[in-house]
Amino acid sequence: MAENKKPKIGGIVLAAGGSSRLGQPKQLLQFRGKTLLKHAAEAMAASICDPTVVVLGAETARLAGEMEGLSVFQCRNENWRSGMSSSIKTGLAKLIEIAPEIDAVIISLCDQPFVTAEMLNRFGEKFAAGGASVVAAKYKGVVGVPALFSRELFGELSRLVGDKGARDLIRNRVDIETIDLPEAAFDIDTPYDAFRLNS
């Protein structure tokens, strides 16, 4: 990335999972009058990320309409059952197809409803200021997503396997910056989590 050049950052929202522990599609849970999927897609689309890709998998037909009117691209991970890594690879391939010149990507989850566009922008700002290869969220002793990955890591992202997503890639980096983001600690996996969402 050339000096003084504003980085071009794309976004990927991971929303392909089957919500097996929840027993219903978490993407369609209501929060503040919108589904979790719409919340996540809107946040990424309203951020500095351009373009934004939303990765669907399970329940694609039911979920696709949630992005109507939003400036996002959709793609389907045919191998969504194999885990989060396959969704990252699917989304990244689509993103590079649309915008081959991007300098970095921010990856977020559809079930972190308190993550906003302004919070996502902080990842891009920190990347532009320091040039770290990874900028990750830090919460409750965890370093994870949302997270930004620079272009130099696209190859490693494309080789991920299993359901850990980019967790090991994040934790094994020396040149990593973190952003305190306690709002990202709340995610939804179980019926109790769904109950807490609107309680």
Side-chain angles (χ1 to χ4, degrees):
M1 190 172 64
E3 283 187 36
N4 302 321
K5 173 179 172 280
K6 186 177 180 181
K8 182 172 178 61
I9 300 171
I12 298 174
V13 178
L14 302 179
S19 311
S20 57
R21 291 168 61 193
L22 183 61
Q24 61 178 307
K26 69 172 72 176
Q27 300 94 324
L28 293 175
L29 289 176
Q30 290 287 319
F31 177 63
R32 296 177 181 170
K34 299 175 186 176
T35 63
L36 290 185
L37 178 56
K38 190 157 192 174
H39 265 281
E42 281 185 341
M44 190 68 88
S47 75
I48 58 174
C49 293
D50 182 28
T52 287
V53 170
V54 179
V55 184
L56 303 178
E59 305 285 351
T60 296
R62 293 177 65 188
L63 300 177
E66 289 299 312
M67 270 78 68
E68 189 173 334
L70 297 181
S71 182
V72 301
F73 295 86
Q74 298 178 36
C75 63
R76 186 172 196 271
N77 174 16
E78 301 291 346
N79 300 311
W80 61 268
R81 289 180 181 83
S82 68
M84 193 180 295
S85 293
S86 62
S87 288
I88 292 173
K89 291 188 283 189
T90 300
L92 184 61
K94 182 69 172 178
L95 199 60
I96 292 171
E97 175 190 322
I98 300 164
E101 74 284 8
I102 60 170
D103 299 301
V105 59
I106 296 176
I107 297 175
S108 71
L109 305 178
C110 80
D111 66 343
Q112 292 176 312
F114 297 105
V115 173
T116 65
E118 291 74 20
M119 294 172 193
L120 294 171
N121 287 345
R122 290 165 57 192
F123 292 83
E125 290 159 4
K126 181 156 277 197
F127 172 68
S133 65
V134 177
V135 182
K138 188 175 183 180
Y139 45 90
K140 287 191 173 179
V142 172
V143 177
V145 290
L148 176 148
F149 300 88
S150 69
R151 185 183 186 88
E152 67 191 81
L153 295 181
F154 286 3
E156 291 183 59
L157 287 172
S158 297
R159 291 189 293 272
L160 292 173
V161 293
D163 199 34
K164 289 184 178 179
R167 188 182 309 161
D168 290 342
L169 185 54
I170 292 171
R171 293 174 183 175
N172 293 335
R173 299 301 301 182
V174 175
D175 56 336
I176 182 172
E177 298 267 6
T178 59
I179 291 176
D180 287 325
L181 202 69
E183 294 87 353
F186 186 94
D187 63 4
I188 295 140
D189 290 311
T190 67
Y192 180 64
D193 296 333
F195 168 75
R196 289 195 303 141
L197 179 62
N198 291 299
S199 61

